[in-house]
Amino acid sequence: MNKKLLALVCLIALIASGCAQKWALDAQSTEAQLAWPHPPEKQRIRHIMTIRGFKEKGDNLKGFFFGKGENRLIKPVAVATGRDGRIAIADTGTKSVHLYIPKEELYIDVFSFDDGEMMISPVSVAFDDDLRLYVSDSFYEKIAVFDSRGKYLYPITRMAVGDLKRPTGLAYDPGEKRVFAVDTLSHKIHVFTTKGEHLFSFGARGSGDGQFNFPTHIFWSPAGLIYVTDSMNYRVEIFDSSGKFHAAFGHHGDGSGDFAMPKGVAVDREGVVYVVDSLFDNIQLFDERGQFLLTLGSRGINQGEFWLPSGIYIDESDKLYICDTYNQRIQIFEIINNNR
């Protein structure tokens, strides 16, 4: 090996040795007090942070030669957090899932499967107790399962009742250790073990109790109830853990408490239900009986404003994450008072 080639190999090895860089959120904290509802009413929700992506920290040889790494959110549509504080963001703009583990300052761009297929349409994410990551890719008609470091494990595609048609929303039941998956084209909810074994399904197309018309999003509440956005019936349906219909609320309209394009749904520890409406560019809050409480946000680009929002998530500490999709960001809020 000549000296020039040896020097080049050594340089590449030296740069590679400095590639294990720490990452941080590319985030902006809220400078001014921004809370809802407005005074003199008691505050329920406070804006605390906006995430726009992820960036490398500090200096190293890789950064000197190639610049620091930076991954921006393009079209975030779903978000979830794990029990150790990690966050996963499904981004149909980057065709990947952004996985960030703050305790390790580690960022992983999850974008492919073991068989060489690249993600095309990741539309939902969920974590289980072992921090496995579940990703719905509606284009490939499957749910992909990854380990806690973003390594592909196996797909969920088939059931006793047939194949998945268009998997979308995902939710994890920590009590029974089950994964609930919305199949929008089948107008059903499918339930799996964490190993991908199909347990049961419920729902059918229609407008009656327990029926769906293109369901999209799902959330497992702290009370053990399942909330499903029944998008083209313009309502939210509620089920128990066995899939038995419990209640429903909502209808089409353009007033407070009405729905025009309902998307993500989430529930806090006090039973308050949060429903994203993309056409209204806001989030509406309801009590456990489906009675309208208040509206969070309006159309705009400032903090606390939205442009075609979609996914939503509430973590164990009652932090509220909203995919502000066309503003290319995740807005985070603190739920500070739920007494009604």
Side-chain angles (χ1 to χ4, degrees):
M1 183 180 295
N2 62 46
K3 291 183 179 180
K4 288 184 179 180
L5 182 58
L6 179 61
L8 178 60
V9 170
C10 290
L11 178 60
I12 292 172
L14 188 61
I15 292 173
S17 69
C19 287
Q21 183 69 329
K22 301 294 186 181
W23 286 73
L25 294 173
D26 183 0
Q28 176 187 2
S29 298
T30 308
E31 297 178 359
Q33 178 78 351
L34 189 58
W36 292 262
H38 301 302
E41 295 186 63
K42 185 179 292 187
Q43 295 178 353
R44 295 175 181 269
I45 305 168
R46 180 186 300 123
H47 192 287
I48 56 176
M49 183 185 296
T50 299
I51 299 174
R52 293 194 173 275
F54 307 87
K55 58 186 178 182
E56 282 188 312
K57 297 174 62 178
D59 298 312
N60 61 5
L61 282 173
K62 173 178 170 289
F64 177 80
F65 283 97
F66 304 110
K68 291 183 180 180
E70 181 181 33
N71 277 14
R72 303 277 287 185
L73 302 180
I74 303 299
K75 196 176 179 183
V77 296
V79 59
T81 65
R83 56 178 173 78
D84 65 345
R86 67 182 58 202
I87 185 171
I89 302 170
D91 190 330
T92 56
T94 61
K95 299 181 180 181
S96 68
V97 172
H98 307 275
L99 175 60
Y100 180 64
I101 306 172
K103 289 183 179 179
E104 302 178 41
E105 297 182 313
L106 176 65
Y107 170 79
I108 303 169
D109 188 18
V110 182
F111 59 85
S112 66
F113 314 117
D114 263 357
D115 51 14
E117 289 179 330
M118 309 293 282
M119 284 188 190
I120 298 295
S121 184
V123 294
S124 189
V125 286
F127 290 106
D128 67 17
D129 293 332
D130 295 321
L131 299 176
R132 283 183 288 258
L133 173 64
Y134 299 79
V135 181
S136 286
D137 191 309
S138 59
F139 178 85
Y140 284 117
E141 302 174 351
K142 70 180 178 182
I143 300 165
V145 186
F146 300 83
D147 71 11
S148 63
R149 314 299 285 188
K151 180 182 178 181
Y152 182 69
L153 296 175
Y154 51 84
I156 301 174
T157 59
R158 299 188 62 84
M159 304 159 296
V161 295
D163 295 344
L164 289 172
K165 292 185 177 179
R166 183 171 292 171
T168 49
L170 295 172
Y172 177 65
D173 165 13
E176 298 293 332
K177 301 187 183 305
R178 302 177 301 182
V179 179
F180 285 72
V182 178
D183 193 335
T184 298
L185 285 186
S186 293
H187 311 280
K188 291 181 180 293
I189 310 299
H190 304 299
V191 186
F192 302 91
T193 69
T194 55
K195 295 180 180 180
E197 300 161 342
H198 179 243
L199 295 172
F200 63 93
S201 302
F202 60 94
R205 189 168 192 180
S207 58
D209 292 348
Q211 296 181 325
F212 302 110
N213 191 15
F214 296 100
T216 54
H217 296 71
I218 189 169
F219 190 81
W220 180 267
S221 79
L225 295 174
I226 306 155
Y227 289 72
V228 180
T229 304
D230 186 11
S231 65
M232 296 307 294
N233 281 326
Y234 304 98
R235 63 182 180 180
V236 171
E237 291 197 83
I238 308 166
F239 301 84
D240 68 14
S241 61
S242 67
K244 181 181 178 181
F245 176 80
H246 180 76
F249 67 88
H251 58 268
H252 187 249
D254 59 5
S256 296
D258 297 336
F259 295 136
M261 188 182 288
K263 293 282 190 177
V265 60
V267 186
D268 67 25
R269 287 181 292 182
E270 296 295 326
V272 176
V273 185
Y274 300 69
V275 184
V276 176
D277 198 298
S278 287
L279 282 187
F280 291 157
D281 298 297
N282 65 22
I283 291 82
Q284 298 188 86
L285 278 63
F286 302 85
D287 68 16
E288 64 270 18
R289 299 178 302 276
Q291 298 299 307
F292 173 74
L293 297 174
L294 65 96
T295 296
L296 167 63
S298 59
R299 185 163 193 175
I301 61 173
N302 298 317
Q303 290 181 331
E305 297 177 335
F306 306 97
W307 185 14
L308 294 177
S310 52
I312 188 172
Y313 187 81
I314 296 177
D315 68 14
E316 294 179 351
S317 62
D318 263 1
K319 283 190 174 61
L320 171 66
Y321 301 75
I322 300 172
C323 295
D324 188 6
T325 304
Y326 277 76
N327 278 327
Q328 302 179 311
R329 61 189 182 182
I330 302 292
Q331 296 199 57
I332 305 177
F333 301 78
E334 179 185 9
I335 300 170
I336 56 178
N337 193 302
N338 298 319
N339 296 323
R340 296 181 292 282

